[in-house]
Each structure stands twice: as structure tokens, then as C-alpha cells.
Amino acid sequence: MRLTEFWRRMHEHFGEAYAESFAQDHLMSELGGRTVRQALADGWEAKDVWKVVCRTQGVSALLR
């Protein structure tokens, strides 16, 4: 998954403003206590981060 697709899905699920806030501020134990942005910066694949977001945040099956 490309980062552009990852962010499109994040914005579609959370809304543009909250997606940015969630990615920056929400620590996720499933990402080793990182935020979405930290996980991506630390080298996690976008598809793996997206899977965690889907599993933990009730993402619609249409966006998975």
C-alpha cells in the first residue's frame, strides 16, 4: 500500500482534520506504544499500520 492510499483511507474514515490529529496524538499499544506517524517514520509498512487501525478503530469493511 502506498502512503497516498493510506492517507486517503485515513481521511475517509476519520475525516480530514481528525485523521491528522489521530495519527499525531493517539498512542497505540499495537504499534509498540507509537502513534501512526511514529510507526511510519520508524519503518512500519503502511499496510501493516492500516491493518492495526482497521482492527482497533472499527474501520468499515469497504475501506479495508
Side-chain angles (χ1 to χ4, degrees), residues 27-47:
L27 293 173
M28 302 183 73
S29 60
E30 297 84 351
L31 296 175
R34 295 172 179 86
T35 66
V36 166
R37 287 205 176 271
Q38 288 170 330
L40 293 170
D42 286 349
W44 282 59
E45 295 289 329
K47 68 178 180 178

Side-chain angles (χ1 to χ4, degrees), residues 4-21:
T4 53
E5 178 64 15
F6 172 83
W7 287 112
R8 184 192 68 74
R9 292 181 188 195
M10 286 284 289
H11 291 157
E12 193 167 334
H13 177 70
F14 291 107
E16 193 131 345
Y18 186 64
E20 298 297 329
S21 175

